[in-house]
Amino acid sequence: MDHQIDVDVVRCHQYNELLQSPEGHRKLKRVLKCWVAANPDLDYWQGIDSLAAPFVVYNFNNEAKAYCCLQALVQKYLRNFFGKDNALYLQEHLALFGQLLGYTDPQLAHHLFVSAGFNPELFAIPWFLTLFSHIFPLNKIYHVWDTVLLGPRALPLFFAVSIMKFLRGRLLELDFNDCLLFISNMPDVDIEACIRDAIATFDICMPSLMEHKWTRKEVNLLCSSTHWYLISIFDTRQANANRFAYSF
């Protein structure tokens, strides 16, 4: 565990003057080790460092406060992601993300998930595990979190969908390999535009999409099918969305 933390600390947001400093490394490492010690029932995943980084920078002279912020964030919003048995929860989240994209932008979803074979598990896991702090610089993360953490608990999913819609023009031109490279090197995204779109999409989305938790059998069926996102489009539009919606 100590080795993984050491590796994560020295590559976490190193463009930032505070985090790249020896003192920044020490502070981030102490916060992470404290979090691990306080949460024996949770797993340390790569990405916790990205979650802690905004709090360490914002509270650089108060490590205790930085730790408390990290602990509160994980306990309130991400606990199920870091549980010992998080596979089903993570699969549900990814499947719902794909469904929402298919429901709001069928053309883009068909191109990505069917034509290109570029499924959510190939790129979106760190988005949700770190509430986007792994893919955006700190100045954008503060803006995202100011909205996402104060909004409905489903809002991060809608924000992820809005990112894909913002990039749709380029994504529609790419095959599997190019999609992977393009998303891995996250291009510049208009955060404000994505936030507005996420809120607007959430407001018009059917409540049933966020009311029911899938069974393991349903999740496995959807994730194993190359056309799983189409199930969402047809079933939700035929008033059968309760079967595929999600509980927050």
Side-chain angles (χ1 to χ4, degrees):
M1 183 65 67
D2 285 350
H3 173 71
Q4 185 59 55
I5 290 177
D6 288 339
V7 170
D8 290 342
V9 163
V10 297
R11 62 186 182 190
C12 179
H13 292 285
Q14 290 303 285
Y15 57 86
N16 180 270
E17 183 178 353
L18 293 178
L19 290 176
Q20 70 177 221
S21 67
E23 185 62 17
H25 289 174
R26 286 191 291 270
K27 288 177 181 290
L28 180 57
K29 182 177 180 178
R30 285 193 291 263
V31 168
L32 293 174
K33 294 187 72 170
C34 186
W35 184 87
V36 170
N39 296 279
D41 57 326
L42 301 180
D43 281 335
Y44 179 93
W45 282 61
Q46 185 178 356
I48 284 283
D49 56 303
S50 294
L51 280 172
F55 298 127
V56 171
V57 171
Y58 197 75
N59 303 284
F60 199 73
N61 295 317
N62 191 338
E63 290 176 44
K65 189 173 182 180
Y67 158 74
C68 288
C69 289
L70 173 63
Q71 177 74 340
L73 177 72
V74 173
Q75 292 296 330
K76 184 172 182 179
Y77 298 99
L78 300 169
R79 182 175 178 81
N80 289 331
F81 281 113
F82 294 98
K84 299 293 184 180
D85 185 18
N86 67 347
L88 177 61
Y89 186 84
L90 188 55
Q91 285 180 326
E92 286 178 330
H93 221 71
L94 294 173
L96 181 56
F97 165 58
Q99 277 200 132
L100 289 173
L101 183 60
Y103 187 73
T104 59
D105 195 334
Q107 181 187 13
L108 178 58
H110 183 275
H111 172 73
L112 292 175
F113 306 149
V114 180
S115 299
F118 189 60
N119 294 324
E121 61 265 23
L122 297 173
F123 64 92
I125 291 176
W127 294 16
F128 299 121
L129 279 178
T130 69
L131 277 177
F132 310 100
S133 60
H134 187 69
I135 62 171
F136 291 129
L138 292 177
N139 63 310
K140 291 189 174 183
I141 286 303
Y142 291 127
H143 186 27
V144 172
W145 284 8
D146 279 348
T147 300
V148 167
L149 299 185
L150 295 177
R153 293 192 66 186
L155 198 57
L157 280 163
F158 288 85
F159 181 70
V161 167
S162 296
I163 293 173
M164 301 301 285
K165 290 162 62 180
F166 182 83
L167 301 172
R168 78 183 305 276
R170 187 74 179 97
L171 288 170
L172 287 171
E173 300 173 347
L174 305 177
D175 59 15
F176 174 85
N177 290 330
D178 289 334
C179 280
L180 190 60
L181 182 62
F182 181 66
I183 292 296
S184 297
N185 300 289
M186 178 59 69
D188 189 41
V189 171
D190 187 332
I191 295 296
E192 184 60 37
C194 289
I195 288 174
R196 289 197 303 268
D197 182 74
I199 294 172
T201 304
F202 176 85
D203 288 341
I204 64 174
C205 195
M206 293 184 300
S208 58
L209 281 171
M210 293 160 282
E211 289 176 354
H212 178 70
K213 191 172 184 178
W214 292 335
T215 65
R216 184 178 294 274
K217 182 178 180 180
E218 288 171 330
V219 170
N220 290 339
L221 175 64
L222 290 176
C223 292
S224 65
S225 171
T226 56
H227 298 284
W228 56 265
Y229 90 96
L230 291 173
I231 299 174
S232 168
I233 297 173
F234 294 126
D235 275 12
T236 53
R237 290 180 181 178
Q238 293 173 15
N240 292 322
N242 283 339
R243 181 172 169 233
F244 297 102
Y246 189 81
S247 173
F248 286 88

